[in-house]
Amino acid sequence: MYAVPKPPGKKSKATRPTRDDFELQELAEKLEEAKENHTRLNLTVWRMPEQIQGMIDKLDSGTQKVHVQTRYDGLLKIPFIDIMKAFNVE
């Protein structure tokens, strides 16, 4: 019986940094507060080269996406888990 060689190595996908429940809870509270106060935020999103600046329009618990109204790109629907950081625009 002959051994079949494996196909050339596949490149592994970049993995999203892991965060604990406390960090996720803090982020959720910050997004909720910004939505209630109509505050503009800068969001650092995983696998996006630039930060997103906008206001939180909706927090959709069904799809777990955050709807962000931006000035130039319109409404973006970003998965909550992909948001790495959020901070107020000064």
Side-chain angles (χ1 to χ4, degrees):
M1 180 153 115
Y2 295 102
V4 177
K6 290 185 177 182
K10 295 180 182 177
K11 295 190 180 204
S12 63
K13 292 183 182 178
T15 57
R16 181 185 301 112
T18 57
R19 293 168 290 164
D20 62 12
D21 290 340
F22 180 73
E23 290 174 308
L24 293 173
Q25 181 67 31
E26 277 188 339
L27 177 61
E29 288 172 4
K30 184 156 195 115
L31 295 175
E32 183 68 36
E33 182 181 325
K35 179 182 178 276
E36 290 174 6
N37 298 332
H38 303 287
T39 308
R40 186 170 291 279
L41 293 177
N42 274 337
L43 301 174
T44 303
V45 181
W46 184 62
R47 293 192 307 182
M48 285 198 166
E50 296 179 7
Q51 291 185 344
I52 296 171
Q53 186 179 99
M55 294 176 63
I56 305 300
D57 186 51
K58 181 179 177 185
L59 300 171
D60 191 346
S61 61
T63 61
Q64 295 193 355
K65 290 192 178 186
V66 178
H67 298 207
V68 181
Q69 184 66 47
T70 64
R71 184 175 296 172
Y72 302 111
D73 297 327
L75 185 68
L76 300 176
K77 296 178 182 178
I78 304 167
F80 172 76
I81 199 71
D82 285 350
I83 299 173
M84 296 289 114
K85 293 181 186 175
F87 47 95
N88 293 338
V89 175
E90 295 180 9

